[in-house]
Amino acid sequence: MVGSSRFCTHAYGTCQSKNHLYFFMDYLQGGELRNLIVDRAPFTLRMIRFLCAEILCGLRFLHSKGILHRDLKPENILLDAAGHICIADFGLAVTNTSHKKMDVAGTIGYMAPEVMIQEPYSFAADYFSFGVVAYEMAVGKFPFKDDNVPSIVQSVSFDEPTFPRFMNADLKDFLQILLCKDQYTRQRMVQGLEHHPFFTGINWTDMEAGTAKPPFTMEPNPLTDVEDNAEKEVFLSSIEPQLPSPETKDIFHGFSFMSDRWREMKTPAEVT
């Protein structure tokens, strides 16, 4: 469902052996957004604007497909070598939701208030998570109390985040929209969010096409040859390609697949 979006991670295929399940996915050399936040936050205004614009493109695509992610956080936003984002980990995602009763799902601190108090919720919940991520990029810390789970729940539900005195006014307003406590007000305010003054200067055609250049450079992180890593070498050599065991073949029935994109890259002989 997300295969046509450049802002989501792609699975090219899956397969299984007797003891292992394998996922073949894009290699995103830049790693997690979390690492970038730890290393560089608070980001420059241009950097925040660019990353938020790409995240918005990704969310809009997901929601247009009826997909609610439910676990948007810096660890689930990956970066390629140039600094473009890819939303990852759809393990908690649901489809065809419209303010219906759903289970509490997500990561504490990034879940919207309506999710934590078990109200019916919809796509506005992803925007609250987006707001927490954007705040971390802008300020370099979590916007709410994070002493323990009860304090986080209490703070996310009732506390207003504090903003640095000299924060850009448009950025502050943008964050306040995303972190609005009331889901219905939040849903109304995020309509047409790409036209918010914070995004002044963004060429949305280039952004959607993935041709906009990130206003920052990534630290080089070359792919390491597994032969240079003794631990990986031992692990890989211990894997014996085998058919699933009788005990597991039914548990993971239907797990293995090959995407059309992967088929296009393989020769006919390899496909067969």
Side-chain angles (χ1 to χ4, degrees):
M1 293 177 69
V2 303
S4 61
S5 174
R6 63 181 67 252
F7 301 108
C8 298
T9 52
H10 301 137
Y12 289 88
T14 54
C15 67
Q16 52 188 302
S17 67
K18 181 177 180 179
N19 297 310
H20 297 84
L21 301 175
Y22 299 92
F23 293 81
F24 299 90
M25 304 183 69
D26 290 315
Y27 173 57
L28 293 164
Q29 194 171 348
E32 299 175 359
L33 178 59
R34 167 62 68 203
N35 297 331
L36 199 64
I37 290 174
V38 170
D39 291 340
R40 302 197 199 179
F43 297 164
T44 65
L45 190 63
R46 292 181 65 213
M47 190 172 177
I48 300 166
R49 183 181 292 117
F50 178 87
L51 291 169
C52 284
E54 289 206 330
I55 294 171
L56 180 60
C57 288
L59 278 185
R60 288 283 166 87
F61 177 86
L62 290 177
H63 295 172
S64 73
K65 298 290 186 180
I67 300 170
L68 177 61
H69 189 279
R70 300 205 299 177
D71 199 21
L72 194 70
K73 57 184 179 181
E75 291 80 356
N76 288 342
I77 299 173
L78 306 181
L79 298 161
D80 66 13
H84 295 284
I85 71 101
C86 277
I87 297 173
D89 195 345
F90 297 91
L92 296 179
V94 291
T95 58
N96 300 319
T97 172
S98 180
H99 289 97
K100 65 181 182 180
K101 185 73 172 179
M102 291 181 283
D103 57 328
V104 177
T107 298
I108 193 71
Y110 294 90
M111 288 185 284
E114 62 267 23
V115 178
M116 293 191 298
I117 63 176
Q118 301 182 52
E119 288 183 352
Y121 61 90
S122 189
F123 300 118
D126 277 347
Y127 282 100
F128 188 90
S129 304
F130 179 16
V132 178
V133 174
Y135 185 97
E136 288 186 284
M137 290 192 288
V139 182
K141 64 180 183 178
F142 189 65
F144 305 105
K145 294 179 181 177
D146 58 353
D147 303 326
N148 49 58
V149 172
S151 72
I152 294 175
V153 173
Q154 178 75 12
S155 185
V156 170
S157 300
F158 300 104
D159 294 345
E160 294 298 331
T162 59
F163 298 93
R165 181 178 177 183
F166 299 106
M167 176 178 280
N168 175 272
D170 291 334
L171 172 57
K172 179 180 178 180
D173 186 70
F174 174 73
L175 293 173
Q176 288 176 320
I177 289 173
L178 295 177
L179 294 173
C180 175
K181 305 292 186 185
D182 180 73
Q183 63 170 316
Y184 299 103
T185 302
R186 188 188 324 128
Q187 184 64 53
R188 175 178 55 80
M189 291 194 298
V190 299
Q191 301 304 312
L193 195 59
E194 65 273 19
H195 301 300
H196 191 280
F198 172 63
F199 287 123
T200 298
I202 291 291
N203 184 318
W204 289 103
T205 301
D206 291 345
M207 191 64 62
E208 289 281 3
T211 57
K213 184 179 180 180
F216 56 93
T217 57
M218 298 291 294
E219 294 295 329
N221 181 27
L223 177 63
T224 302
D225 191 331
V226 294
E227 292 183 355
D228 295 335
N229 187 313
E231 182 178 350
K232 288 183 179 180
E233 187 174 353
V234 170
F235 173 75
L236 291 172
S237 64
S238 67
I239 298 175
E240 298 180 3
Q242 298 176 1
L243 294 175
S245 66
E247 294 79 16
T248 61
K249 68 177 183 179
D250 291 333
I251 297 176
F252 300 107
H253 177 72
F255 173 80
S256 301
F257 89 103
M258 181 182 293
S259 71
D260 291 338
R261 292 180 67 187
W262 196 9
R263 289 179 185 277
E264 292 172 0
M265 292 187 294
K266 296 175 73 67
T267 65
E270 289 177 314
V271 173
T272 57

